[in-house]
Amino acid sequence: MDDRSLSERPNSTGLQEPSDLQLTDKQWNILDAALAVFTEKGFSAATTSEIARQAGVSEGTIFRHFKTKKDILLAMLVPLIRNTMGPKSVNSLTQMIVKNENLPLREVLLMIALERQDFLLENQALLRLILTEAQYHPELREAIIGEVAYKSQEQLIRLIEQRQQKGEIRQDLPAWVLVRSFFGMVVVYMLSGVMLTKREAGKDNREEILKIIDLFLNGAVAEK
Amino acid sequence: MDDRSLSERPNSTGLQEPSDLQLTDKQWNILDAALAVFTEKGFSAATTSEIARQAGVSEGTIFRHFKTKKDILLAMLVPLIRNTMGPKSVNSLTQMIVKNENLPLREVLLMIALERQDFLLENQALLRLILTEAQYHPELREAIIGEVAYKSQEQLIRLIEQRQQKGEIRQDLPAWVLVRSFFGMVVVYMLSGVMLTKREAGKDNREEILKIIDLFLNGAVAEK
DNA sequence: TCACAATGTAAGTAATCACTCACTTTTTAG
DNA sequence: CTAAAAAGTGAGTGATTACTTACATTGTGA
């Protein structure tokens, strides 16, 4: 089985919400298949019969466990965001920030950017599905913003304020401006890399990311 | 009429406004209605019967002019990108760049950012539709990248290289790194403004954009 | 005026959809 | 071991889908 993100069994991820307590193997098969079909076709174009086929169960079985097609989507994505993407995303940020308080900011930002890049490449299809369907399902929008975007931003703000207090970073700009700007530089760089060019996964672009960090730290104007 | 889609009409090769294309009023009604329905529900969830209802024509009329539902989408979006969004986007950039060669870069960047913001807010729903459906329709992806993204980037690169030659901007970074970084800072700032907060359209955020430009130009490190 | 093509339409059509139901098999509790 | 409960099944179901067709209306050129 392609071990991407759903294949963690419930007892390996700890306590969960009541709605996703104790899922049987068959239920996980269904959600795994749903992830594959939804990411390939999108929610509306995906059919429950194809999910059943890929899960190796009958269509009736699906509706024994999930009331509606939309329920399948949410039962899969909301716990995935809340219990896997969210914590993974936030914890790795927190760790990098507290463990490297004395490292030059440049080094910390590089670690963060590279880690975000891995995360993005590994979860490309899943993230695309979430962002697409977030337009039509407010529950998803709230989950991804609250559990990933907002909490990640909070951690980065902590990092920036920490460095502002050290006098390392200018204090005349609010931390959130610095955070969102840095995030924007890095993410748009990575997305345009994926969209405009054929980048092989894991291509070494350390040097280019360092240039962006240099730009973020020192600015675009020429030295006087 | 056997034409598969408007973009293939032999006399539409030159640059033309969408109103110049040989479309009857009824065809425009259909495309107008299609735009409304597609942006609200997405391509897959939209139905031809609702498009017909909103256009005030029978369903048969739709299929007299467009062979398939997908043809409606492409006949509407591809010319819109090629003849309206693309030129509008690129020309305003070009004008701002050549007309203000002697203005401080800071001022030019502010103009560009504000203009991009207007464009984004005005075309929010349309852009969301295009980006969503670009996942499933390569023709759309190619159109939006080739006609808008790539050409806009080219103009901004001209601006940056112009300033690099003047010695105003550091020359140790490739222009495209500067361009994409600036674009990323601004766009992510605007998107997070739309997503995370309730911003009224046209809210005055000139000061905040100026802070981002300041950051882009002077960097995040504290003065020595 | 008339012939004829282009345009418009309502009533289809076959396919497919999400979902149900009557029934069988498997799991669980005492 | 047994009986009830839970899980699984595949053949339905009515609704809805994109698209067609047979026919009516309109526009046009001579």
Side-chain angles (χ1 to χ4, degrees):
Chain A
M1 185 191 306
D2 185 293
D3 188 280
R4 198 174 255 109
S5 32
L6 258 184
S7 37
E8 290 159 297
R9 291 311 188 253
N11 51 355
S12 70
T13 45
L15 292 182
Q16 315 206 333
E17 305 261 321
S19 61
D20 55 292
L21 257 177
Q22 300 291 351
L23 291 174
T24 67
D25 279 358
K26 196 138 279 182
Q27 282 173 305
W28 277 101
N29 283 345
I30 294 172
L31 292 187
D32 253 357
L35 176 63
V37 177
F38 282 145
T39 51
E40 195 199 328
K41 315 238 180 173
F43 175 75
S44 272
T47 67
T48 49
S49 70
E50 190 173 355
I51 293 174
R53 234 195 59 241
Q54 285 209 31
V57 301
S58 80
E59 212 171 338
T61 301
I62 285 186
F63 288 97
R64 165 98 40 208
H65 294 287
F66 307 98
K67 254 175 55 182
T68 64
K69 188 171 115 173
K70 176 169 178 170
D71 269 9
I72 305 174
L73 182 81
L74 297 182
M76 172 186 73
L77 289 185
V78 173
L80 202 58
I81 292 170
R82 223 189 288 280
N83 305 317
T84 306
M85 294 184 68
K88 199 190 285 184
S89 195
V90 174
N91 292 344
S92 66
L93 270 186
T94 311
Q95 274 202 339
M96 281 189 290
I97 290 169
V98 300
K99 276 193 174 175
N100 301 294
E101 261 187 64
N102 299 316
L103 224 60
L105 183 53
R106 178 192 146 96
E107 304 293 331
V108 181
L109 291 179
L110 178 61
M111 288 174 56
I112 290 174
L114 289 175
E115 190 267 344
R116 289 288 105 162
Q117 180 172 244
D118 289 344
F119 183 77
L120 214 105
L121 288 176
E122 270 167 30
N123 300 287
Q124 213 177 335
L126 179 61
L127 283 169
R128 218 163 44 211
L129 173 67
I130 292 173
L131 295 179
T132 300
E133 300 308 330
Q135 288 181 73
Y136 310 107
H137 307 285
E139 309 93 318
L140 273 187
R141 188 164 53 241
E142 278 155 29
I144 192 71
I145 290 180
E147 303 288 331
V148 183
Y150 186 75
K151 289 183 181 172
S152 297
Q153 179 183 271
E154 269 187 331
Q155 295 308 309
L156 287 174
I157 284 181
R158 256 187 44 195
L159 168 68
I160 292 297
E161 286 179 341
Q162 175 193 99
R163 303 295 174 136
Q164 280 179 321
Q165 274 155 20
K166 279 191 187 176
E168 204 174 340
I169 289 294
R170 48 195 285 201
Q171 292 163 12
D172 60 332
L173 294 181
W176 69 265
V177 166
L178 293 155
V179 165
R180 285 192 200 171
S181 296
F182 177 70
F183 180 77
M185 293 167 84
V186 170
V187 162
V188 166
Y189 161 74
M190 289 170 186
L191 288 185
S192 58
V194 168
M195 286 179 62
L196 299 178
T197 74
K198 311 257 173 189
R199 166 171 349 274
E200 311 111 50
K203 182 204 163 185
D204 183 36
N205 55 348
R206 201 175 207 273
E207 290 306 316
E208 285 182 352
I209 291 181
L210 274 173
K211 281 178 183 166
I212 292 173
I213 292 173
D214 181 355
L215 176 62
F216 173 72
L217 291 175
N218 300 312
V221 300
E223 303 282 335
K224 274 138 271 182
Chain B
M1 182 196 307
D2 287 342
D3 267 353
R4 217 175 50 79
S5 77
L6 295 164
S7 49
E8 288 186 355
R9 294 169 90 82
N11 55 350
S12 69
T13 48
L15 35 148
Q16 289 181 331
E17 299 288 309
S19 53
D20 296 348
L21 294 171
Q22 292 165 354
L23 286 175
T24 67
D25 282 354
K26 199 137 277 181
Q27 281 173 307
W28 273 105
N29 282 347
I30 294 172
L31 293 187
D32 249 4
L35 177 62
V37 177
F38 282 144
T39 51
E40 195 199 328
K41 315 239 180 176
F43 175 74
S44 272
T47 67
T48 50
S49 70
E50 190 172 355
I51 293 174
R53 232 197 60 244
Q54 286 209 31
V57 301
S58 80
E59 212 171 337
T61 302
I62 285 185
F63 288 98
R64 165 97 42 206
H65 293 287
F66 307 98
K67 248 177 58 185
T68 65
K69 188 172 117 174
K70 176 168 177 169
D71 268 10
I72 305 173
L73 182 82
L74 297 183
M76 173 186 71
L77 289 186
V78 173
L80 203 57
I81 293 170
R82 223 189 288 279
N83 305 316
T84 305
M85 295 184 67
K88 198 189 288 184
S89 194
V90 174
N91 292 344
S92 67
L93 270 186
T94 310
Q95 275 202 339
M96 280 188 290
I97 290 170
V98 299
K99 277 195 175 176
N100 302 293
E101 262 187 63
N102 299 315
L103 223 61
L105 183 54
R106 176 192 148 97
E107 304 294 330
V108 179
L109 291 179
L110 177 63
M111 288 174 55
I112 290 174
L114 289 175
E115 190 268 347
R116 290 288 104 164
Q117 180 173 244
D118 289 344
F119 183 77
L120 214 104
L121 289 176
E122 271 167 30
N123 300 285
Q124 215 177 331
L126 179 60
L127 283 169
R128 219 165 41 212
L129 173 67
I130 292 173
L131 294 179
T132 300
E133 300 308 332
Q135 290 181 71
Y136 310 108
H137 307 286
E139 309 92 319
L140 273 187
R141 188 164 53 241
E142 279 155 28
I144 191 71
I145 290 180
E147 303 288 331
V148 183
Y150 186 75
K151 288 183 181 172
S152 297
Q153 179 182 270
E154 268 186 331
Q155 294 309 307
L156 287 174
I157 284 181
R158 256 187 45 195
L159 168 68
I160 292 297
E161 285 177 343
Q162 173 195 101
R163 303 296 173 136
Q164 278 179 324
Q165 274 155 20
K166 280 192 189 175
E168 203 173 340
I169 289 294
R170 48 193 288 199
Q171 292 163 11
D172 59 332
L173 294 180
W176 68 264
V177 166
L178 293 156
V179 166
R180 287 194 198 169
S181 295
F182 177 70
F183 180 77
M185 292 167 85
V186 170
V187 162
V188 166
Y189 161 77
M190 289 170 186
L191 288 185
S192 58
V194 169
M195 287 179 63
L196 299 177
T197 74
K198 311 257 176 191
R199 172 177 339 277
E200 314 110 50
K203 181 202 164 187
D204 182 37
N205 55 350
R206 201 173 207 275
E207 290 307 315
E208 286 181 353
I209 290 179
L210 274 173
K211 282 178 183 166
I212 291 173
I213 292 172
D214 182 354
L215 176 61
F216 173 73
L217 291 175
N218 300 312
V221 300
E223 304 283 336
K224 271 138 270 180

